[in-house]
Amino acid sequence: MFILSSLKKIVVFTGAGMSAESGLKTFRDSNGLWEEYRIEDVATPEAWQNNKAHVLRFYNERLKQVIEAKPNQGHLILAELQKHFDVQIITQNIDDLHERAGSKKVLHLHGLITKMRSSIDENLIYPIKKQKIEVGDLCEKGSQLRPHIVWFGEMVPEMDNAMSIVAEADIFITVGTSLVVYPAAGLIYHTNPMAKKYLVDPGNFEASVLQSINHIKKTASQGLDELKKLLLSK
Ligand code: APR
């Protein structure tokens, strides 16, 4: 027996603005993380080579904040949309707030802060149990454990997978990303030409980005509430 699914496929591409209303700082807004820290000191392989303790302090602080944060209304709306659509999230965020809100299909492009991995074998990935990683914490092959994060200058292993998923979207929703970090930002150009495209973000974007995208210039929770009503009315 076959059950034919007629659910439309929504692909949601999220960035730091998605979690802003949960109290997690974005990177490039005023007062964002990259005003407080230099990327080259905490988020590159060279930073890791030069000062592991400093890099670990930075990510341990991020982990603490993620553990204390709760999903916001925007995350909950995306989880609720699963009742009506086949919803796939592709996130640049390293927090697990989509999962905690109940989203079932979540692809993390830039890694996940709740995990750590071997620095000599990227397939050795472990949950962080004691809520931090310290210098001297070793994987089973004896190498220092590092955050399970994709740093600037590293490959994005899930990128091909993400491009295939985006190409299948009937509806493509981008939420809370400045669209300046590649290759992830290029995903908005991989949709099927027939797909309906929406961008939920209170910021300003270049005209070239907004071509064929409906810009809902609101926060994640307000904009997604508006979009949910629109999608459910069709
Ligand atoms: N709701 C929705 N969007 C918001 C909100 C909000 N409440 N507040 C801010 N924003 C928007 C901003 O207008 C901006 O467009 O969120 C976006 C945040 O942009 P960035 O700080 O650049 O974050 P992001 O695009 O996710 O960064 C991409 O860069 O530093 C790296 O690896 C890191 O994954 C990250 C990548």
Side-chain angles (χ1 to χ4, degrees), residues 165-178:
I165 292 168
V166 167
E168 289 173 1
D170 298 304
I171 299 165
F172 182 71
I173 306 172
T174 301
V175 187
T177 169
S178 57

Side-chain angles (χ1 to χ4, degrees), residues 72-202:
N72 65 55
Q73 194 56 28
H75 293 107
L76 296 173
I77 290 169
L78 292 177
E80 193 190 327
L81 283 177
Q82 295 173 126
K83 290 185 203 148
H84 309 276
F85 301 93
D86 172 10
V87 182
Q88 168 77 54
I89 312 274
I90 299 175
T91 187
Q92 297 166 91
N93 297 344
I94 59 173
D95 65 58
D96 59 354
L97 295 179
H98 283 301
E99 288 91 338
R100 281 157 55 193
S103 284
K104 300 283 179 245
K105 296 203 269 179
V106 185
L107 180 74
H108 283 270
L109 276 182
H110 294 165
L112 193 50
I113 188 69
T114 54
K115 294 188 176 171
M116 57 191 177
R117 70 169 188 257
S118 160
S119 45
I120 55 165
D121 182 347
E122 62 188 17
N123 297 314
L124 293 177
I125 304 167
Y126 314 86
I128 299 178
K129 295 225 175 85
K130 58 178 187 179
Q131 305 203 349
K132 61 181 171 181
I133 310 173
E134 288 173 301
V135 174
D137 290 348
L138 306 180
C139 77
E140 65 214 59
K141 290 188 176 172
S143 83
Q144 172 68 42
L145 286 160
R146 58 166 275 180
H148 183 47
I149 303 289
V150 177
W151 286 323
F152 286 90
E154 293 187 318
M155 298 287 288
V156 180
E158 294 290 358
M159 200 55 208
D160 286 350
N161 196 6
M163 285 192 294
S164 310
I165 292 168
V166 167
E168 289 173 1
D170 298 304
I171 299 165
F172 182 71
I173 306 172
T174 301
V175 187
T177 169
S178 57
L179 294 172
V180 297
V181 175
Y182 282 77
L187 279 178
I188 65 166
Y189 303 110
H190 284 272
T191 52
N192 175 320
M194 302 299 287
K196 277 256 177 225
K197 300 208 262 180
Y198 300 90
L199 165 63
V200 176
D201 192 301

Side-chain angles (χ1 to χ4, degrees), residues 15-17 21 26-29 34 92 110 176-178 181 201-202 219-220:
E21 289 162 279
T26 64
F27 296 96
R28 295 174 185 80
D29 288 305
W34 296 148
Q92 297 166 91
H110 294 165
T177 169
S178 57
V181 175
D201 192 301
T219 67

